[in-house]
């Protein structure tokens, strides 16, 4: 099973990286960008019987730092065999 | 009895030797050098140091991988028994990631790596790490970090301030840290994490000796005890 874990900074936590990206976008001439927040995508390939509790524990124990980050678990649909 | 200390080395630690030299210089006894994969620490320890560097290449988050390495289970257990633990720079990041200290160390607000000597105020001179300093004293110690921006929520900040757990504060804005916090203690007072490098300010040849008394505080406490 393919799982995507999206890790992002909690609202209210200053994101220097997002701010720098924002400035760079403006420097490239893109107007109308109101805000930029940078996060992290972690792709997991786990056993099909991996439980939600285990996925949750992986996020809390390692993948996200709960002091500053939130996470969202997204289970991807099975890829359709092209053959 | 000789001062028994340990310096933990993770893959990517680069201030472990400086830490060991500082400890030997002040205590007269060379520390044990412990590799991250060890699951047990030497038996009787008076002091454990987590040095600066870029453990595991700062993968995932600074300190995140090191905090989950085998030796850290023993460090957490030793801290619970009251063994003094000092984490400097990356060591501070490891301490927050391992839950021994509250908060987190984020990318510097400026996005720049900051490498210079900074003025600090000693906010708590009663801890076992700071007893040789005067309360409110200004000292100068180098910082060298990219992720030193201390963050905790307001409730946590109020709590650690109220409990006298801010050990050092930057006297001028440095990296965006909340309330200019440079170093904090755990509730029991035997774990200190700080971004500035006291081991780089121990001898006159370093350009300053602002960090020496931190090590003297730890060593003399044990000799006097």
């Amino acid at each position: 099973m393919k799982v995507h874990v999206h890790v992002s900074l909690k609202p209210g936590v200053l994101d220097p990286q997002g701010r720098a990206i924002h400035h760079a976008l403006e420097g490239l001439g893109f107007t109308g960008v109101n805000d930029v927040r940078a996060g992290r995508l972690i792709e997991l390939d786990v056993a099909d019987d991996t439980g939600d509790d285990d996925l949750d524990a992986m996020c809390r124990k390692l993948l996200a730092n709960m002091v500053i980050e939130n996470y969202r678990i997204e289970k991807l649909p099975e890829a359709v065999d092209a053959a | 009895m000789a001062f028994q200390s340990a310096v933990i080395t993770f893959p990517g630690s680069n201030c472990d030797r400086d830490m060991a030299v500082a400890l030997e210089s002040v205590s007269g006894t060379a520390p044990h050098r412990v590799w991250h994969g060890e699951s047990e620490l030497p038996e009787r320890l008076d002091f454990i140091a987590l040095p600066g560097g870029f453990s595991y290449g700062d993968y995932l988050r600074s300190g995140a991988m090191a905090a989950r390495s085998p030796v850290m289970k023993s460090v957490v257990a030793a801290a619970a028994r009251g063994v003094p633990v000092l984490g400097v720079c990356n060591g501070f990041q490891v301490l927050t990631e391992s839950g021994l200290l509250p908060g987190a160390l984020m990318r510097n607000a400026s996005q720049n790596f900051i490498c210079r000597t900074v003025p600090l105020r000693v906010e708590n001179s009663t801890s076992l790490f700071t007893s040789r300093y005067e309360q409110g004293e200004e000292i100068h110690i180098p910082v060298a970090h990219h992720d030193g921006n201390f963050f905790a929520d307001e409730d946590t900040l109020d709590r650690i301030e109220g409990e006298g757990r801010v050990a050092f504060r930057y006297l001028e804005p440095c990296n965006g840290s909340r309330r200019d916090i440079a170093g904090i203690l755990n509730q029991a007072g035997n774990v200190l994490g700080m971004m500035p490098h006291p081991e780089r300010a121990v001898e006159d040849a370093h350009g300053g000796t602002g960090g020496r008394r931190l090590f003297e505080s730890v060593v003399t406490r044990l000799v006097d005890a």
Side-chain angles (χ1 to χ4, degrees):
Chain A
M1 174 171 58
K2 297 276 203 304
V3 176
H4 281 181
V5 175
H6 303 264
V7 181
S8 55
L9 285 173
K10 287 183 176 175
V13 174
L14 182 73
D15 178 7
Q17 207 172 195
R19 203 171 50 180
I21 296 168
H22 192 176
H23 286 159
L25 286 172
E26 287 174 339
L28 289 170
F30 294 103
T31 55
V33 179
N34 295 322
D35 194 20
V36 178
R37 308 277 288 171
R40 174 186 286 120
L41 168 66
I42 299 169
E43 301 177 350
L44 305 176
D45 186 350
V46 298
D48 287 342
D49 59 355
T50 305
D52 288 352
D53 287 353
D54 278 341
L55 290 172
D56 217 46
M58 290 179 203
C59 293
R60 289 177 174 276
K61 285 187 174 176
L62 180 62
L63 303 182
N65 178 338
M66 300 307 295
V67 176
I68 48 173
E69 294 170 333
N70 287 327
Y71 63 88
R72 182 167 59 80
I73 296 169
E74 179 192 9
K75 293 181 190 172
L76 301 189
E78 285 298 313
V80 180
D81 196 339
Chain B
M1 210 183 308
F3 181 76
Q4 297 289 322
S5 61
V7 176
I8 315 290
T9 299
F10 302 99
S13 295
N14 62 13
C15 301
D16 43 339
R17 183 182 173 280
D18 288 3
M19 183 67 81
V21 169
L23 280 168
E24 182 167 3
S25 148
V26 173
S27 73
T29 310
H32 299 274
R33 305 293 296 272
V34 179
W35 182 238
H36 71 107
E38 310 276 336
S39 52
E40 284 178 28
L41 291 166
E43 273 214 353
R44 194 189 66 80
L45 280 181
D46 300 315
F47 183 75
I48 299 169
L50 305 180
F54 300 87
S55 57
Y56 297 86
D58 281 348
Y59 288 175
L60 192 63
R61 298 175 301 272
S62 299
M65 311 309 288
R68 278 88 182 165
S69 65
V71 76
M72 279 308 294
K73 283 203 180 84
S74 300
V75 172
V76 170
R81 289 197 306 272
V83 176
V85 178
L86 169 68
V88 169
C89 200
N90 188 224
F92 186 10
Q93 294 158 349
V94 175
L95 289 173
T96 59
E97 279 285 343
S98 66
L100 283 173
L101 291 175
L105 292 146
M106 303 182 55
R107 182 52 44 102
N108 294 339
S110 66
Q111 290 274 24
N112 295 320
F113 191 96
I114 301 170
C115 183
R116 59 186 158 90
T117 297
V118 297
L120 303 171
R121 186 166 61 231
V122 180
E123 295 284 6
N124 176 345
S125 64
T126 63
S127 82
L128 66 89
F129 302 96
T130 54
S131 58
R132 297 282 292 248
Y133 294 107
E134 302 295 326
Q135 183 74 26
E137 183 180 349
E138 178 178 340
I139 60 174
H140 294 79
I141 297 184
V143 296
H145 60 247
H146 212 161
D147 296 324
N149 181 352
F150 182 74
F151 176 87
D153 61 47
E154 288 296 311
D155 288 347
T156 304
L157 290 169
D158 287 344
R159 196 176 72 243
I160 61 178
E161 296 252 24
E163 293 172 351
R165 289 165 55 189
V166 177
F168 301 105
R169 206 186 299 273
Y170 301 109
L171 274 171
E172 52 194 46
C174 177
N175 49 27
S177 287
R178 288 287 171 105
R179 303 189 191 181
D180 292 326
I181 287 172
I184 57 168
L185 296 154
N186 69 341
Q187 196 160 22
N190 68 310
V191 178
L192 169 66
M194 60 192 294
M195 290 312 296
H197 286 269
E199 79 281 7
R200 294 191 190 179
V202 170
E203 297 164 20
D204 287 327
H206 289 158
T209 57
R212 186 171 184 93
R213 277 177 290 158
L214 189 151
F215 298 103
E216 289 176 350
S217 300
V218 178
V219 172
T220 53
R221 165 186 167 270
L222 289 155
V223 171
D224 294 345

